[in-house]
Structures are given as C-alpha cells and as structure tokens.
Amino acid sequence: MRKLPINTPKPSDTASGLSGTQAYHDSAWKHVSGKARYIDDLPEPEGLLHAAVGQSTHAHARVTAMDLDAVRNYPGVVEVMTVNDVPGHTDIGPVFPGDPVLAGDLVEHVGQPLFAVAATSHRAARQAARLAKVSYEPLPTALTAQEALEQKLFVRPDHTQLRGDPDKALAEAPHRLQGEMNVGGQEHFYLEGQACLVEPTEDAGVFVHTSSQHPSEVQKLVAEVLGLAIHEVQVEVRRMGGGFGGKETQAAPLACISALLARKTGRPVKYRMARADDMVQTGKRHDFYNTYDIGFDEQGVLRGADIMVAGRCGFSPDLSDAIVDRAMFHSDNGYSLGEARVVGHRCKTHTVSNTAFRGFGGPQGMMIIERAMDDIARYLGEDPLDIRKRNLYGPGRDVTHYGQKIEQHLLPDMIEKLEVSSDYRKRRAEITHFNKTSQILKRGLSLTPVKFGISFTAQHLNQAGALVHVYTDGSIHLNHGGTEMGQGLFIKVAQVVASAFQVDLDRVKVSATRTDKVPNTSPTAASSGTDLNGMAALDACEKIKQRLVDFAAEAHGVSAEDIAFENNTVRVGDQRIDWADFVQQAYMARVSLSSNGFYSTPKIHYDRATGQGRPFLYFANGVACSEVVVDTLTGEYKVLRTDILHDAGQSLNPAVDIGQIEGGFVQGMGWLTTEELVYNKEGRLLSNGPATYKIPAVSDAPADFRVELLPASPNPESTVFRSKAVGEPPLMLAMSVWSAMRDAIASVADYRYSPPLDTPATPERVLGAITTTRRWAAEQTATTEKPVSQEA
Ligand code: MTE
Ligand code: HPA
Ligand code: MOS
C-alpha cells in the first residue's frame, strides 16, 4: 500500500507529524479504500458458527412456557442455550445488576434475548431463532418517562443538587416563568453494527475480537458468564466503524453470548447483528422530560432556578445513574443559575435499556436552559443573544449549582468574536425585515454556547495505561488502553509519542487495543481518550528517555543537560547521533527500551451525599451561530449557514479536531431535527431501519459551514501538551439550529410568543408549533398582559 503522506510540509529542522500538525488519520487511506478491517472482514476461522437470539415480543410479561424444539431441529443449528445453561454469572449489568444475559421467566422489553442459537450460517441462525413457541402472561407497562414518573418507577434513586435558597430566590424575583419540554432520544447508527468473533483457546479460555469501546469490561463480563478468571479471556479491538457511546456497554452482551456458545460447542462463533435487530435490541440515547421554574430580573438575568430532568432509562440501570448526573451537571450549560435546585430522575420503562451517546446526558440537560433563555427573551422582548450573554458565567458569577468554580471564562470572548465574524447583528436586521415581507418562508437565527465538563463523573474511571516499545532500528510500537472508533485517538497519541522522542511520526506504529497489553482499562468515552491515554503514553516515553539520557551521559561522559532529542537525532554534547544508531548503542549497552506508563486525573472529586464537588478537571467550550429557513406551509426547513468557533485548547491535530467538530455538529443536528424514534403502544420500535429513521445526509449539512478553532488557547490545566478534549462537546453546538427554528417560528407572532418545540423538531412538529403560535397571536385581544411561554 502507498505510504500515507503527512500533509503538513516538513520544516527542515524538526521531525514530521509531531503534535500540532495535521497528520492524516492513521487509517484514512484504509477507510476510504475499503482495506480497513472490521470484525466482519476478519478471515473466518475453520468451523465458524454464527449466533442469533430469540427475542421477546412483549414489553413486559411473564414467560410461562418456551418450546425450542423447532429451533433445535432447524437445519444447520448446532446449539441452543437458555439462561439455565450459563455456567457462571447470569447478570451482566455493567455497573449495577439488572441486565440478564438471557431472560429467565420475566421479559422487560420487546427484543430482549430469550435464548441463543449457534448455526452453520448467519441466515440459518436467524431463521431458526424465529421458530420458538413462547407463551407469555402480559404485565402492565410504562413506556414513557412521564408514565414512569406517575407510577414512581425508577431504575435508581433520584439525586438533587442544591445551591442557596432557590424557593426564596424564585419568590422574590421580579419575573418568573415556567416551562417544560420533551427531548428526544437517538439511535447511534454507527456504520458498522454490533459485532464480535470469539474463538475458544487451547486452554479453557476464549479470545474475543469485538467492536467495543470497553475491552476490559467485555473481558470481565465474558470471564464472569463463563465462570473463569479474567486472565483466561483476551480481548482485542482493532477499530470500530463508529461507536458514539453505543459500544461502551452494548457490545458486551454479544461477546458474552458468543463466548457461551463457543465454550459449549468448542467452535469459533461470530455474532453480527442485522441492522433492524441492532436498532431494536441495543440501547440508545435517553429521551428526557424536563421542566424549569426560573426567576429573573428586568435584564433577564437569572436569580434562581428549579430544574427537573427525567431520563427514560429503559428496563435496567446500565449507565443511567451517570447519564442523568451528567444531564444535571449540564442543566446550566454556560449560565449561572443563581440559587438553584436541580433534581434528576432515572425513569424505569419497559423499553430497551438506554445508554451512553455522545454527550452522555449533557445535551439533554442543556436543552432545558437553552429553552429558558429563548423564553426569557420573548417575555422581555429582547434578542435572545443578549439574554444569553448577560447570563454567562463570569468573574464573581462563577460557581455552579454543584459547587465547582468556573476558573476559565472563554465564552464571553468567544461569543463576541463569533457575533462579529458571523455578522450576527446585520443578519438579524435583514432577517427581521425578510420575515416582515415574506409570507410563507420565515428565517431564523440563533447563537448558542456550549460548556462541557471533561472527566468521567465516576472518579475511578479517570485513569489510563500505555505500553511503549522502542525497537533496535529506532521504530516504535505503541499500545494504550484507548480504542479507535474513527475519532483519531490513535494518530493523536502516536503524535504525542513522536513528539516525546522528536522523531518522524511514521516511526511510530499504534496497534490494536488488547487486554493483555494494557490491563484494567476504562472505556474510551467521556471524550477523555486522548487526555488519559496521551498522558499515559507520554509517561512511558519519559521513562524510556530517562534511561537513554542516563546511558548516554555515562557512555559519553557528558552531563544530562547536554543531551537532547532533536529532529530524529540525539545530541550528546557536541555529537549528533542518528536516532536509530543511538537506540542500537543503548541496546548493546543493555538498556531497557520498553516501558509502561500510567496516568490518573488530578483534582477531581464529587460527593454524591451533598451534591457538591469538582467533578470536572476543566470545561471545553464552543459557540455556534446558525441560520435556518422554515416553510410555514409544510414545516420543512433548511440550515442555510452555520459558523462555529470551538476551543480545542492547544490542538494536537487541527485537521482531526475540525473533523470532530463538523461531524459532532451534524450528528447533533440529526438528533434535534430528523431522527425520530417511534414506539407503538405495545412498546415495539417502529422506526427500526434507515427507511423510517432519518439520519442527516450530506445534503442536510449547512450549505455554508464555517468552522474554526479558537487560536492560541492552551488548556490552563496540564493536559497532554495543553490540548482539550474534543469528541463530544461539538454535538451540542447543534442547539443553535433548534433555537434558530424557534426564532423563525416566533416571527409569525412578531416575536412576542416563545413557541414550544419538542425535539426532534421534525417538519410535523415545526408545523404544529407554527399553528400554536398563530393561534396564540389570533387569541391576543387588546390586553396589555405580558406574553408568556406556553405549552401546546
Ligand atoms: N468520532 C467518530 N468518528 N466516531 C465515534 O464513534 N464517538 C464520540 C467521539 N467522536 C465517535 C467520535 C464519542 S461518544 C466519544 S466519548 C469520543 O469520540 C471518544 O473518543 P475520544 O475520547 O478519543 O475523543
Ligand atoms: N461519560 C461517558 N461514559 C461514562 C461516563 C461519563 O461521564 N461515566 C461512565 N461512563
Ligand atoms: Mo462517549 S457517549 O462518552 O462514548
């Protein structure tokens, strides 16, 4: 294969591809040529069997009988297993129990696996799995967050964060508003569906190839269901064709089921879900029902807030405790709430267990305060941007409702910059004029900020390990605990290693993530992959460098200060030694050229008993300004232009970071506009394929899309080369699109009314909001009463 060019010109005095340069993704060429191997592309081992599961057809029921004879007798079927055949643990809940690997006599969502089949072909396994005769005794269901709230069904206890006396602040505030909204869920729609391949090993164990963000958890759960020690199980993840949070916990059940079948049959087993099964059987982004009660002054500045966020968790806890926590931590977005109470509920419903999805509850929490900002603006008759600016955190208004002090105030300046570069005020005036004269088409504009907390909120997950080998030809092999899902983690960490030794990037090779190389890893999640693994890799490099310096100082009789790593050489006193020659000398002198590295994030803590602490090492920030046009006859819309200014700290790779921003924004747009999960009243997902579930196409991206990184903005915290995490935060920049749509709709009542607009804001919902807004305008009599935000 052709060698990848490094697309930053090589300055003659430094090595190429170092941190800060726009090196191509290490698999870019393989991605676009189809040579990158995903699980289903691996050569199939001799005797391979294919797995499928029988699925519950009821949302909540007792299973009274299960006749599997027809399944067993189907041609090609080799093995059929139920929960009674599991030798070890039967519960594979990742944090809390509640996820049976195969259901017993109770099913709690449509699609729940009842039994597992291994057959000689993918098709035979799926056909056979449909032939079971299962008898159910239906039980009552709760399908939505509101139903669960009414029935007091929760997967975990609620949690409250309190600052000051919000009741008093609300009672005494000059103005007060209430509102509520439903924020939709989201299917991950990774291009590579869930898949794994499990091979029994020589001894009792198994080797697992999986498309998972969390190989160590897959390893542990597979060991537990098989009743083995963790060291009997090896897990490898080369890459995922997208994860987006959907492979943090959701890959493990496939691996466990395949491992059970592989151990039972003694044959390798592949389990690749068909798209429709993947959509029905694996968790999605939580939809939320949120409410606010806010008090503010004449300027629209918040004095107090009482916010409730309720996530639909599905039938089991999965990661929902942390996800609803993150929604609570982000219900302020970039604004000081004043004296505040934030309550979070984890609603139990008889639907698939919802899970991590880019932003991890943060986006759903932010939506309620962004709605409030628009509502205040309409109430006071001001431009929503002015209300947003006045409410931003700043010196003196810098403590969140959970007690973390905001130490870096980037948003005021970033908004100011984008306001100018996007021509906000001029376009605002043009749009106001356009909307006065245009009857059918209405345009809307909005500029919204993002402040996103970086660190896992579960403290122990903020750790990482790495393994670096330097070989005698000067080439370097790198392993770390992070997984590659397209986000560019591997190339960024490789750039860190190249920078540590000051050698060309093509001397560094990153290989598949494996549990026997770096143990006990955290999931690649919370946008922290580079922060954690980059630092761990740097630690490993520093250890090797120290040994090399000690060796050179002694061998050449110079002091350590006279040794430097520079442009593929090592300068030892007056000598410049080629990197590879130097490494060879160190080898001959019996210097260890391999090291592990470790990192754990400093400063962070959170006390759940008091709801106070510093859960985040720092915040990532971004601002977006979007303009939309809405057809008021059909509710259809288009994003005309989006300007983004995003803070990636001292970017390790501006090209990769801008790709994350563009991709995150478009994925967020899809979430807030067209991607609708529709369940029927029996709890069956109707939108279970691309024909009924609409992710954004390239033609849906803003026609005019201008993305820039905030220049000269090193992270004040000592992260790897002062960079900032970039994976999740840009998704929330898409709130500007939703807010711009509300702006366009508000124009039909001359901006005096704040239209409710639940998400996804499909054309149907937009049309409904237009109707509501027009009706409100028509009902207005000559009263002098102030308009308020109202629900449809
Ligand atoms: N980018 C691509 N191309 N594919 C993905 O699956 N996942 C996102 C984000 N960007 C994802 C992505 C999510 S949910 C997270 S948490 C981060 O990448 C994880 O990687 P990082 O920590 O290395 O940024
Ligand atoms: N983000 C993403 N994934 C997680 C987190 C988090 O904060 N906590 C546990 N898994
Ligand atoms: Mo990302 S939702 O933290 O995998």
Side-chain angles (χ1 to χ4, degrees), residues 417-428 430-431 442-448 623-630 637-645 665-666 669 699-708 733-741 743:
K417 278 197 179 116
L418 197 73
E419 188 180 332
V420 172
S421 66
S422 71
D423 243 343
Y424 181 91
R425 300 290 168 181
K426 183 158 157 269
R427 286 162 70 202
R428 167 62 71 206
E430 282 167 10
I431 288 169
K442 300 286 182 184
R443 279 155 59 188
L445 183 69
S446 180
L447 195 162
T448 58
V623 288
C625 177
S626 292
E627 180 177 343
V628 300
V629 59
V630 173
Y637 45 77
K638 226 194 211 122
V639 183
L640 298 175
R641 172 172 165 186
T642 293
D643 295 60
I644 289 173
L645 180 60
F665 175 85
V666 172
M669 255 181 54
S699 52
D700 295 313
D704 184 352
F705 197 10
R706 310 180 189 193
V707 180
E708 279 186 31
L733 296 168
M735 293 187 301
S736 59
V737 170
W738 166 78
S739 176
M741 280 162 55
D743 186 56

Side-chain angles (χ1 to χ4, degrees), residues 20 49 71 84 220 233 241 348 373 575 583 605 637 659-660 710 789:
L49 298 175
V71 184
N84 301 323
K220 175 170 174 279
V233 178
K348 170 163 178 158
M373 289 295 132
Q575 272 191 81
V583 167
H605 58 91
Y637 45 77
Q660 285 290 293
L710 184 65
S789 153

Side-chain angles (χ1 to χ4, degrees), residues 213 242-245 357-359 485-487 489 524-530 660 726-728:
Q213 292 171 239
F244 307 112
F357 196 139
R358 206 170 194 170
M485 56 194 104
Q487 84 277 40
L489 172 66
T524 309
S527 304
S528 63
T530 308
Q660 285 290 293
V726 74
E728 294 166 288

Side-chain angles (χ1 to χ4, degrees), residues 674-685:
T674 57
E675 297 184 36
E676 186 165 35
L677 292 163
V678 181
Y679 289 87
N680 71 7
K681 59 184 194 306
E682 279 83 46
R684 175 190 301 277
L685 181 70

Side-chain angles (χ1 to χ4, degrees), residues 17 55 124 138 152 185 218 264 344 351 361 401 443 466 469 593 696 761 780:
Q55 303 178 30
K152 302 208 171 2
V218 169
K264 190 82 188 284
T351 51
H401 54 286
R443 279 155 59 188
H469 303 317
L593 295 170
Q780 285 306 294

Side-chain angles (χ1 to χ4, degrees), residues 565-614:
F565 296 78
E566 290 172 355
N567 189 16
N568 296 298
T569 63
V570 182
R571 189 166 50 73
V572 182
D574 303 331
Q575 272 191 81
R576 259 180 189 285
I577 309 173
D578 175 75
W579 166 250
D581 295 340
F582 180 80
V583 167
Q584 177 66 23
Q585 287 176 16
Y587 165 75
M588 291 307 289
R590 298 184 296 174
V591 175
S592 164
L593 295 170
S594 168
S595 177
N596 64 357
F598 187 76
Y599 176 73
S600 66
T601 311
K603 297 187 184 176
I604 48 176
H605 58 91
Y606 181 66
D607 181 357
R608 234 158 162 275
T610 59
Q612 300 286 301
R614 179 198 178 134

